[in-house]
Amino acid sequence: MIKLVTTDPTRIKSNLLVIAACKDANVYEHPRLVATIQQTRRLSEFSGNRGDEIVLYNPPGFTTDRLMIVGLGDLERLNAEILRTATGKAVGRAMEHELSNVTIAVPGPPDGSLGFEDLLVSMLEGACLANHHFDRYKNDKKTAAVKQIAFVVPEKAASKHRRLVTVAQTICSGTLLARDWVNTPANDKTPQRFAAVVSKLCEKTGLKTRLLGKKELRRQKFGSILAVAAGSETDPALLVLEHAPARVKKTVALVGKGVTFDSGGLNLKTNVRINQMKADMAGAAAVAAAMICLSRLKPDLRVVGVIPLVENMISGQAIRPGDIIRTYSGKTVEIGNTDAEGRLILGDAISFAIKKYRPEVLIDIATLTGACVIALGEELAGVFTADDELAETILQSAQRTHERCWRMPLTEDYRDLLKSDVADINNMPRHRYGAAITAALYLSEFAAGTRWAHIDIAGPAFHKKSSAYCGPGATGFGVRLLCEVVRSLAKTL
Ligand code: BES
Ligand code: MN
Ligand code: ZN
């Protein structure tokens, strides 16, 4: 639980009190905090640099058991991500040492460009995002989450900013939810099971929930989804989630790739590449979790989440390279490669979302191509859209949440690379160069006429190593971003 308190930090009973120090400036008014930081700065271990941290045990003049001072670097260069990181690291330490109670003294409003609200929110986010550990499958659950985190703020700020705590906590719990889903192994999240878990949760939050099973997908001719699922023992599903406030006219559709395991199909993946393919439903997880958050935040927009779920496997029923399928849109596709399955299921989901809901804006999010990871590395997602305004909305939101995005081109003449001699289009481009772009161009064929953007999260969705506010594995990338984008579209559409 996270809450705001106004108690004097020196008098607080806590397992750990966290305070922050800049290298070159004082960020508190409280004389004891100021003095303690000044004394500590004289030690060679701590100078207030970014990433510095020091723990004092039973510090004189404080009632806390431990006092941690974290360095923020130069005040002039202080930003939201530095605060998120510093707070996240402190909470991570508390988890390591199994402390149940942490207090964090929020710095006073600094003179810099960062306002108090942004400062507070980023610290709340850092704490909330770090306070999580995927241990569902461990018999020995060592690192439990911190039970109570209190933020010390000035009297005036406490009542004024309570709502910020609720919002930050709502959105960050969405990220944690998505992480858990993505970390869950594929044997425990077949399309059917995942859909059941998500729809149950969504019904509770008041979202309209519809689940189309194999029969219904057949009846409505979702040719691509059925084709990709054909090799799997488990049935595909299409999950549709709807936040539909009364008297609202505009609609945003969110579409997320949900391949619960991507073996590659008959174009089987190699050893290294197949390893993290349980995470190939990270787009689906991001959309589902964002929808749950939005059901609580209640933006003045209709928001529809469309989530195609399949397992890409091998069997006598599996699609073969060279097969030709008829998609939901009516377009025929030559299967040049069974490992280019994400674009297939997204194509059907995008056509369906547009036909059924006529959205003003459609955004899809997917672990779509290894090529995007080669181009941008593991930290950045690629944003593909012909719509400059939509690109700007996404990039600005990404800057706020620090789920970093980089705009990529949709080079029109590359479209020729997807030509097929025998069908309307090939799912495999003629050569491997620019494969993140040709994948996006494939999707654009199914989004024609609608304002559309595609976010490729193959890099940032899953990280083997942990970071300041994320454990090893799934990152939950995209949940906060989608929430921010939708809230911003609610103001401008
Ligand atoms: N799920 C993969 C993309 C991926 C790669 C995600 C690495 C996360 C990490 C996707 O379905 C895929 O296999 N893409 C192919 C496309 C190719 C066959 C055109 C790829 O990127 O190699
Ligand atoms: Mn694949
Ligand atoms: Zn895939």
Side-chain angles (χ1 to χ4, degrees):
M1 207 198 55
I2 294 187
K3 60 177 184 183
L4 301 183
V5 298
T6 57
T7 334
D8 177 346
T10 60
R11 305 247 176 87
I12 251 164
K13 283 266 182 219
S14 180
N15 299 139
L16 174 70
L17 172 65
V18 182
I19 64 178
C22 279
K23 196 175 174 186
D24 54 347
N26 165 32
V27 290
Y28 292 105
E29 277 167 15
H30 197 298
R32 170 128 269 142
L33 299 189
V34 176
T36 308
I37 290 169
Q38 253 163 18
Q39 278 166 17
T40 313
R41 265 215 212 93
R42 284 191 212 115
L43 306 173
S44 59
E45 290 97 318
F46 187 89
S47 45
N49 280 326
R50 245 178 101 170
D52 276 2
E53 75 184 35
I54 191 166
V55 181
L56 313 175
Y57 297 93
N58 302 309
F62 290 82
T63 52
T64 180
D65 304 337
R66 303 168 188 79
L67 174 66
M68 178 187 275
I69 314 180
V70 297
L72 300 176
D74 296 328
L75 179 59
E76 215 177 51
R77 301 171 72 177
L78 185 61
N79 61 36
E81 181 58 10
I82 294 175
L83 286 160
R84 225 177 261 123
T85 302
T87 315
K89 273 197 197 157
V91 170
R93 287 272 183 273
M95 279 173 64
E96 262 171 52
H97 298 294
E98 298 178 66
L99 309 181
S100 61
N101 180 306
V102 175
T103 306
I104 300 167
V106 178
D111 306 324
S113 55
L114 200 62
F116 184 73
E117 276 194 32
D118 288 341
L119 177 142
L120 176 61
V121 168
S122 52
M123 293 182 79
L124 290 165
E125 289 170 347
C128 200
L129 292 170
N131 197 21
H132 172 263
H133 187 71
F134 183 71
D135 58 3
R136 198 181 289 163
Y137 292 84
K138 293 263 194 197
N139 280 311
D140 184 10
K141 299 189 196 302
K142 263 195 233 132
T143 22
V146 178
K147 286 204 186 68
Q148 215 189 79
I149 306 177
F151 284 84
V152 184
V153 295
E155 202 90 48
K156 285 191 302 254
S159 53
K160 197 173 145 203
H161 296 313
R162 282 247 142 81
R163 162 110 184 121
L164 295 182
V165 182
T166 318
V167 172
Q169 247 185 315
T170 302
I171 296 178
C172 292
S173 349
T175 301
L176 305 185
L177 194 58
R179 284 183 195 168
D180 280 352
W181 287 335
V182 177
N183 281 326
T184 299
N187 56 327
D188 277 346
K189 63 171 177 205
T190 59
Q192 292 300 314
R193 262 180 86 176
F194 181 69
V197 168
V198 174
S199 43
K200 206 165 155 199
L201 210 64
C202 289
E203 272 163 11
K204 268 195 225 151
T205 65
L207 290 167
K208 264 197 222 164
T209 306
R210 276 205 304 153
L211 183 57
L212 312 195
K214 191 174 179 184
K215 244 179 156 177
E216 191 56 28
L217 294 172
R218 275 219 181 107
R219 199 181 67 76
Q220 294 193 44
K221 302 200 170 77
F222 284 88
S224 306
I225 294 178
L226 290 163
V228 177
S232 171
E233 292 282 323
T234 66
D235 284 357
L238 184 71
L239 183 58
V240 185
L241 310 169
E242 197 181 341
H243 160 73
R247 287 185 301 278
V248 160
K249 299 244 164 57
K250 309 273 163 120
T251 302
V252 172
L254 305 175
V255 178
K257 171 178 172 183
V259 178
T260 61
F261 186 75
D262 182 11
S263 73
L266 285 168
N267 293 104
L268 188 63
K269 285 187 183 294
T270 56
N271 207 353
V272 186
R273 294 193 160 184
I274 208 168
N275 281 333
Q276 291 168 10
M277 283 305 136
K278 69 170 182 183
D280 211 19
M281 40 62 78
V287 170
M291 289 302 298
I292 291 172
C293 297
L294 292 166
S295 76
R296 302 201 177 113
L297 299 171
K298 304 194 191 310
D300 279 332
L301 260 186
R302 179 162 75 145
V303 190
V304 186
V306 178
I307 303 173
L309 291 161
V310 298
E311 191 184 37
N312 188 21
M313 298 291 274
I314 293 177
S315 82
Q317 309 287 318
I319 45 164
R320 299 154 280 256
D323 282 2
I324 299 174
I325 61 169
R326 188 175 293 277
T327 65
Y328 180 85
S329 70
K331 274 196 196 10
T332 57
V333 179
E334 177 185 359
I335 306 297
N337 192 311
T338 60
D339 199 10
E341 85 298 339
R343 66 196 71 186
L344 292 171
I345 65 166
L346 288 170
D348 272 7
I350 291 169
S351 318
F352 169 80
I354 292 174
K355 183 172 166 204
K356 200 89 189 165
Y357 297 97
R358 304 254 154 241
E360 268 65 36
V361 169
L362 186 150
I363 299 171
D364 80 75
I365 181 161
T367 48
L368 201 63
T369 66
C372 199
V373 194
I374 302 290
L376 298 176
E378 282 195 292
E379 296 294 342
L380 305 197
V383 174
F384 302 78
T385 177
D387 188 312
D388 292 343
E389 209 181 310
L390 185 54
E392 204 43 45
T393 302
I394 294 171
L395 295 178
Q396 270 176 20
S397 302
Q399 203 153 29
R400 290 183 66 84
T401 66
H402 200 73
E403 287 158 295
R404 284 169 289 177
C405 290
W406 195 260
R407 188 170 181 188
M408 298 279 279
L410 273 173
T411 314
E412 271 307 316
D413 35 330
Y414 291 4
R415 218 178 271 282
D416 290 349
L417 294 167
L418 294 166
K419 279 192 174 149
S420 164
D421 295 333
V422 287
D424 296 338
I425 190 170
N426 198 314
N427 77 332
M428 182 69 180
R430 293 229 164 123
H431 61 65
R432 55 199 282 265
Y433 305 115
I437 301 171
T438 46
L441 286 168
Y442 179 95
L443 298 179
S444 75
E445 293 284 330
F446 298 84
T450 300
R451 291 183 71 194
W452 158 82
H454 157 61
I455 309 177
D456 192 332
I457 56 167
F462 195 92
H463 289 164
K464 258 186 152 163
K465 275 175 67 183
S466 62
S467 53
Y469 50 86
C470 185
T475 59
F477 188 103
V479 177
R480 294 187 299 128
L481 174 64
L482 290 176
C483 289
E484 191 70 30
V485 169
V486 168
R487 292 169 84 201
S488 140
L489 288 172
K491 286 184 211 136
T492 54
L493 267 188

